[in-house]
Amino acid sequence: MPSPSFTLDAQLRFHDKWLKIDLQRAFSPEGLCEMWNEMVKDEEITFNGEESAHPEDCTDCFGTTQKKDEPNDKEKKEEEETSTSVHHSIIETWDWGRQPDETELKDCLLVLVDDQQKLSAQMAKSTLSAQRLRQRLVILERYLISLSHSMMEEKYKVRWKGPPSPPLPAADNKR
């Protein structure tokens, strides 16, 4: 089961709201779900490709949201199907055909190991703990975006609203 990929689209109008939140809430399951669902509701989280929907019980906080279609989805699926069928066809020819030589066996073994590594990485990304960690990181990123925007705004205000520089004393030309 592939985990959904999503992007953070921080919106300027919610910066003040995110500066007021208690970040400690992101480390409790209920607080994490509330904050995540708030971001989804505010459309600051957009899902790409596969989407997981758990709207009511919020076990992993992926709500129903808008979905962007990736143009590469079809290509990825076709590539996976092609690689899988090639591996199976190679192995099937060994059943009734000639026996593979050492280099063919090594090549096939490398391909199988690569497939297993991809599969294990995909499964590791889809665990509940990995999903919650990713959500926490996105929430913290959202807070830091608001904080940096606020600090830049403050710096800008100080620079332009600061006291005017005192006038330079007139040079005394009397000698």
Side-chain angles (χ1 to χ4, degrees):
M1 170 175 134
S3 62
S5 60
F6 50 83
T7 55
L8 173 62
D9 182 23
Q11 298 178 21
L12 181 63
R13 62 186 172 156
F14 297 118
H15 284 332
D16 290 335
K17 176 176 118 178
W18 278 96
L19 287 174
K20 296 175 186 174
I21 66 163
D22 177 18
L23 284 179
Q24 292 296 321
R25 286 182 41 231
F27 296 99
S28 72
E30 299 83 23
L32 175 65
C33 284
E34 288 172 15
M35 295 167 94
W36 182 261
N37 288 334
E38 190 69 25
M39 288 177 70
V40 170
K41 185 180 79 173
D42 293 340
E43 297 179 353
E44 290 190 304
I45 298 289
T46 53
F47 289 89
N48 305 320
E50 296 284 324
E51 179 179 356
S52 175
H54 300 281
E56 271 114 39
D57 70 58
C58 187
T59 53
D60 63 2
C61 304
F62 285 109
T64 56
T65 63
Q66 59 190 12
K67 181 178 175 181
K68 291 184 181 176
D69 291 328
E70 277 190 28
N72 296 332
D73 282 347
K74 290 181 183 177
E75 293 173 9
K76 288 178 186 177
K77 288 178 184 176
E78 289 174 2
E79 188 176 301
E80 289 174 5
E81 290 172 0
T82 305
S83 65
T84 303
S85 63
V86 168
H87 305 127
H88 288 294
S89 66
I90 291 172
I91 293 173
E92 286 175 5
T93 60
W94 296 344
D95 290 341
W96 299 102
R98 66 173 181 77
Q99 293 299 309
D101 62 2
E102 190 174 327
T103 58
E104 285 179 323
L105 283 174
K106 285 182 181 179
D107 290 343
C108 190
L109 184 61
L110 289 175
V111 168
L112 290 173
V113 168
D114 184 51
D115 285 347
Q116 285 297 313
Q117 287 176 340
K118 288 177 184 175
L119 182 62
S120 62
Q122 186 180 25
M123 290 299 108
K125 289 178 186 177
S126 67
T127 63
L128 182 59
S129 60
Q131 289 176 353
R132 286 187 175 165
L133 177 61
R134 204 172 314 119
Q135 290 171 345
R136 284 186 179 104
L137 290 173
V138 169
I139 288 170
L140 294 173
E141 180 184 4
R142 178 62 182 99
Y143 175 79
L144 290 174
I145 288 170
S146 295
L147 184 62
S148 66
H149 183 267
S150 168
M151 293 177 74
M152 286 175 37
E153 228 176 45
E154 226 173 87
K155 188 185 280 188
Y156 178 76
K157 285 179 184 176
V158 168
R159 187 182 315 160
W160 292 104
K161 290 189 178 185
S165 57
L168 296 174
D172 210 3
N173 290 338
K174 298 178 186 174
R175 284 191 199 206

